[in-house]
Amino acid sequence: MSRPEYQAPPELYYNDKEANKYTSNTRIQSIQAELTCRAIELLNLPENEPAFLLDIGCGSGLSGEILDEEGHFWVGIDIAPSMLQIALEREVEGDLFLQDAGHGLGFRPGTFDGAISISVLQWLCNADRKSHNPVTRLNRFFTTLYSSLRRGARAIFQFYPENDDQCELIMNVAMKCGFQGGLVVDYPNSKKAKKFFLCLFAGINGTESKPQMPKALGVGENEGDEPKTVNYSSERIQERNTKTKGNRKSIKDRDWILHKKGIARMRGKKGIPLDTKFTGRKRKSKF
Amino acid sequence: MRLVTHNMLQCHVRGCNVNNYPLQLSEVEIEIQETEFNSQFLRSMIRKLEWSALINSAREIGITTLPEVLPDDFDEDFLRNIHRVLLETHIQQGKMTCPNCNHVYLVRDGIPNMLLNESET
Ligand SMILES: [Zn+2]
């Protein structure tokens, strides 16, 4: 099957049918969850502090739900109305914007403590209309993104580069717009698990001298750790969850979920799951 | 869209760089959606707010409970009130107009439409 970004512009490709298919596919859900967790890790946020984050290409809110679970607040932008509609139905906590990243962002300087973007950046390199110039669009996007981040914040883009030239183009434009950083390639020797993360630093904050590039997974001494299945990072996510447990109060603790379900029932919603002893537990099966 | 996010929003039409904030609210429908109180997050967001813009925007949608001047320290009452205004007050429908170029961003079902015409990019 050819890559979706070759077939149609994203707002047309992700019509109601594709958007539903994408969101309800458990394989996609688990990949998306892994990539999001890795992106959050690469953001290197201060521990135990709720952050205000931007999700670029938030889609139906699959990544946003993980940001919710991690106790962060977020704003998501997406160009596909069908995807946003599903995000609404799934009652994600973040604010949703219908927006073309290539037209730039309209957030005040220093708004966000970080930005993530999962499987979106390659779309931005397309020229879907005659008037589209990928370099102009990337330039507008990175300039306004840089400004919307507070100094020292990071933007992490997991993406599927088409080739080396595309990688280089994206990085060149990002650097011209003020970012520092580079590419982290996890599991570079595994055809299945290899993942590209563009890690951008929006300046540095006081104490650091120079931002340190994060270490890739599955290289050097960790080379033997190459995952056997796509669920490679589930143990790492679990580990992370146990590590942060107890320190940070999740925004969705059991009481809160019960409260929210109660409100939904009062509004006459159907299909609200019954409360059980499992309500509000970390959903292991998700990964 | 929560009011806190509106306070962060400026016009992004190309070339519209001055007096492009805050976007003026009109024909607005609001909805209160309860959410968990998090004083740590509120304190960090208050530092990012443009207070006078917030007061104006709140007034545009009929909220008059905010003090004219941001207090020096925040007691529980103040934080509870600001929590309601910033994080529980959602703009569900309405118009947001740029005070400079007059571009109108429509909000439908809580989602602002930030798409521009090609001539505005
Ligand atoms: Zn304007």
Side-chain angles (χ1 to χ4, degrees):
Chain A
M1 201 176 68
S2 91
R3 298 164 61 127
E5 65 269 26
Y6 296 163
Q7 297 177 34
E11 68 275 28
L12 299 181
Y13 181 80
Y14 289 111
N15 54 20
D16 289 353
K17 192 168 144 251
E18 284 299 326
N20 262 312
K21 233 163 74 184
Y22 189 89
T23 310
S24 54
N25 181 322
T26 50
R27 198 182 128 262
I28 287 177
Q29 280 175 12
S30 86
I31 294 173
Q32 186 92 3
E34 286 165 18
L35 296 173
T36 305
C37 288
R38 176 67 172 141
I40 295 172
E41 183 177 70
L42 292 168
L43 275 180
N44 196 30
L45 296 164
E47 267 185 51
N48 309 322
E49 278 177 34
F52 196 49
L53 303 175
L54 177 65
D55 183 355
I56 299 149
C58 63
S60 52
L62 291 174
S63 305
E65 282 193 332
I66 294 179
L67 297 176
D68 288 338
E69 283 168 14
E70 291 278 313
H72 298 304
F73 293 75
W74 57 277
V75 171
I77 69 163
D78 206 284
I79 196 174
S82 298
M83 284 290 210
L84 294 173
Q85 199 53 47
I86 295 177
L88 273 188
E89 286 160 18
R90 298 170 75 234
E91 301 193 332
V92 294
E93 302 270 345
D95 288 322
L96 306 167
F97 283 72
L98 178 62
Q99 191 155 8
D100 180 352
H103 288 169
L105 307 171
F107 297 100
R108 284 204 286 119
T111 295
F112 296 110
D113 304 309
I116 63 163
S117 175
I118 306 298
S119 315
V120 168
L121 196 52
Q122 68 274 3
W123 289 94
L124 208 53
C125 299
N126 285 7
D128 290 322
R129 290 182 208 153
K130 244 194 171 148
S131 55
H132 279 186
N133 174 336
V135 178
T136 313
R137 285 167 57 75
L138 284 170
N139 196 57
R140 181 83 181 133
F141 168 62
F142 281 126
T143 309
T144 50
L145 174 64
Y146 184 89
S147 141
S148 77
L149 292 168
R150 67 164 174 70
R151 289 309 73 127
R154 296 182 178 186
I156 308 293
F157 297 83
Q158 180 276 325
F159 71 121
Y160 297 101
E162 193 181 321
N163 52 41
D164 290 351
D165 288 349
Q166 190 187 54
C167 257
E168 203 172 311
L169 169 74
I170 292 172
M171 297 227 281
N172 281 344
V173 178
M175 303 301 137
K176 242 183 239 159
C177 297
F179 283 107
Q180 290 177 278
L183 211 54
V184 170
V185 185
D186 283 352
Y187 305 106
N189 304 317
S190 159
K191 218 175 153 189
K192 226 169 165 184
K194 187 175 183 180
K195 289 287 179 297
F196 293 83
F197 291 87
L198 177 64
C199 300
L200 299 178
F201 308 96
I204 44 172
N205 63 11
T207 51
E208 287 173 301
S209 55
K210 197 172 168 250
Q212 289 284 314
M213 276 302 286
K215 258 209 174 109
L217 301 175
V219 288
E221 47 191 72
N222 301 327
E223 210 149 343
D225 298 348
E226 186 183 310
K228 306 239 167 356
T229 70
V230 285
N231 288 321
Y232 63 94
S233 56
S234 56
E235 293 92 50
R236 296 183 46 256
I237 295 165
Q238 299 274 313
E239 200 181 301
R240 195 184 139 75
N241 282 342
T242 19
K243 250 196 329 209
T244 49
K245 219 193 224 161
N247 296 327
R248 182 195 291 147
K249 189 167 174 281
S250 166
I251 190 167
K252 286 197 173 154
D253 64 8
R254 189 181 147 85
D255 287 349
W256 172 244
I257 295 172
L258 291 177
H259 172 69
K260 199 171 170 186
K261 281 179 168 178
I263 293 176
R265 279 199 200 97
M266 280 192 305
R267 286 190 188 145
K269 281 211 173 144
K270 295 208 175 78
I272 309 294
L274 294 173
D275 302 327
T276 69
K277 62 179 179 169
F278 300 111
T279 300
R281 290 209 184 159
K282 286 270 178 208
R283 279 166 291 167
K284 277 188 188 159
S285 57
K286 195 164 166 185
F287 301 113
Chain B
M1 177 183 51
R2 294 164 291 199
L3 216 50
V4 67
T5 307
H6 173 268
N7 194 261
M8 302 295 148
L9 211 54
Q10 61 190 16
C11 183
H12 71 297
V13 168
R14 185 181 272 277
C16 184
N17 301 320
V18 288
N19 188 32
N20 62 349
Y21 173 86
L23 301 178
Q24 290 157 358
L25 297 170
S26 60
E27 298 168 40
V28 164
E29 261 175 52
I30 60 170
E31 191 178 296
I32 302 295
Q33 294 172 21
E34 281 186 34
T35 192
E36 198 175 35
F37 178 74
N38 185 326
S39 69
Q40 193 187 11
F41 180 68
L42 281 171
R43 284 171 193 278
S44 81
M45 282 316 283
I46 288 171
R47 276 185 273 128
K48 294 180 182 175
L49 293 174
E50 282 287 342
W51 189 256
S52 60
L54 178 68
I55 292 178
N56 274 326
S57 309
R59 222 177 262 140
E60 283 167 349
I61 58 173
I63 297 173
T64 53
T65 55
L66 297 173
E68 281 301 316
V69 183
L70 182 64
D72 288 334
D73 52 25
F74 315 135
D75 59 21
E76 178 84 7
D77 280 354
F78 174 76
L79 287 174
R80 291 274 168 191
N81 181 23
I82 200 90
H83 169 74
R84 170 56 57 124
V85 175
L86 289 180
L87 297 175
E88 297 191 327
T89 307
H90 289 247
I91 298 165
Q92 289 300 104
Q93 319 286 342
K95 288 180 176 176
M96 304 190 292
T97 308
C98 170
N100 181 41
C101 74
N102 296 319
H103 181 100
V104 176
Y105 300 95
L106 292 176
V107 185
R108 289 285 167 263
D109 297 329
I111 301 178
N113 181 339
M114 307 305 282
L115 297 175
L116 304 174
N117 298 319
E118 290 300 331
S119 62
E120 295 169 317
T121 65

